[in-house]
Amino acid sequence: MRDCALCIPTPHDLLWQDEFCRVVLLHDADYPAYCRIELLAHVKEMTDLQPVDRARTMKVVFAVESAVREVIQPDKINLASLGNKTPHMHWHVLPRFESDKHFPNSHWGEPVRDSEVQPLSKALRDQLQKIVIERVECALKS
């Protein structure tokens, strides 16, 4: 699809990719280690995928969640797949901290406080990429 932002090469920080999907780091200043898993094919819904590809998608999502938890130790992880604005299958892996500007509400809502979260350092970004690669590749072998 020509008008789909996820059907083109990503402008975001690419952490991992294969022929099926990619993991990008969004570099959101308020949400360090906020990642998105994007299918490379233009697929609208999870149920449009064959069961094996649904399982593959979730293996990647859970591997990324695990890596984010290890690297930055958030208070909570939010997983979301909405696609209302971008009807192309993708999953958000969003680390949450009790001190973030929206907690406990959705990060898409109105802020309830100023953010106290620190941006992701280059060292943590590199560590996150290393662990994402390890976890995803391990998950996909199982």
Side-chain angles (χ1 to χ4, degrees), residues 16-23 37 52-63 132-142:
W16 177 88
Q17 180 172 325
D18 69 2
E19 71 287 344
F20 180 73
C21 68
R22 61 187 172 217
V23 177
I37 294 87
V52 68
D53 289 333
R54 287 181 219 156
R56 181 182 181 86
T57 301
M58 297 316 298
K59 284 180 178 185
V60 175
V61 170
F62 298 147
V132 161
I133 291 168
E134 290 171 0
R135 297 276 166 87
V136 169
E137 291 180 358
C138 180
L140 293 177
K141 289 179 184 173
S142 64

Side-chain angles (χ1 to χ4, degrees), residues 110-128:
E110 291 296 318
V112 296
R113 71 183 63 77
D114 289 334
S115 179
E116 298 175 19
V117 178
Q118 299 298 312
L120 199 64
S121 69
K122 178 168 177 2
L124 282 178
R125 180 258 176 241
D126 292 347
Q127 181 184 6
L128 177 63

Side-chain angles (χ1 to χ4, degrees), residues 6-139:
L6 300 184
C7 283
I8 61 174
T10 185
H12 300 289
D13 188 355
L14 185 65
L15 297 179
W16 177 88
Q17 180 172 325
D18 69 2
E19 71 287 344
F20 180 73
C21 68
R22 61 187 172 217
V23 177
V24 299
L25 179 63
L26 298 181
H27 287 290
D28 186 313
D30 294 316
Y31 296 96
Y34 181 176
C35 294
R36 194 166 59 208
I37 294 87
E38 304 169 349
L39 267 63
L40 298 182
H42 189 81
V43 175
K44 186 175 178 182
E45 307 292 352
M46 283 292 284
T47 52
D48 293 336
L49 293 169
Q50 293 298 313
V52 68
D53 289 333
R54 287 181 219 156
R56 181 182 181 86
T57 301
M58 297 316 298
K59 284 180 178 185
V60 175
V61 170
F62 298 147
V64 172
E65 176 188 353
S66 174
V68 169
R69 289 183 68 196
E70 180 178 330
V71 172
I72 67 166
Q73 302 172 349
D75 296 317
K76 181 73 177 93
I77 292 278
N78 291 171
L79 298 178
S81 177
L82 304 172
N84 297 334
K85 291 183 179 180
T86 307
H88 179 128
M89 181 49 54
H90 63 283
W91 282 85
H92 300 264
V93 177
L94 181 65
R96 300 297 305 275
F97 293 90
E98 291 179 3
S99 61
D100 76 44
K101 66 196 282 183
H102 295 97
F103 196 90
N105 301 327
S106 164
H107 86 291
W108 287 297
E110 291 296 318
V112 296
R113 71 183 63 77
D114 289 334
S115 179
E116 298 175 19
V117 178
Q118 299 298 312
L120 199 64
S121 69
K122 178 168 177 2
L124 282 178
R125 180 258 176 241
D126 292 347
Q127 181 184 6
L128 177 63
Q129 182 174 34
K130 177 181 182 288
I131 295 172
V132 161
I133 291 168
E134 290 171 0
R135 297 276 166 87
V136 169
E137 291 180 358
C138 180

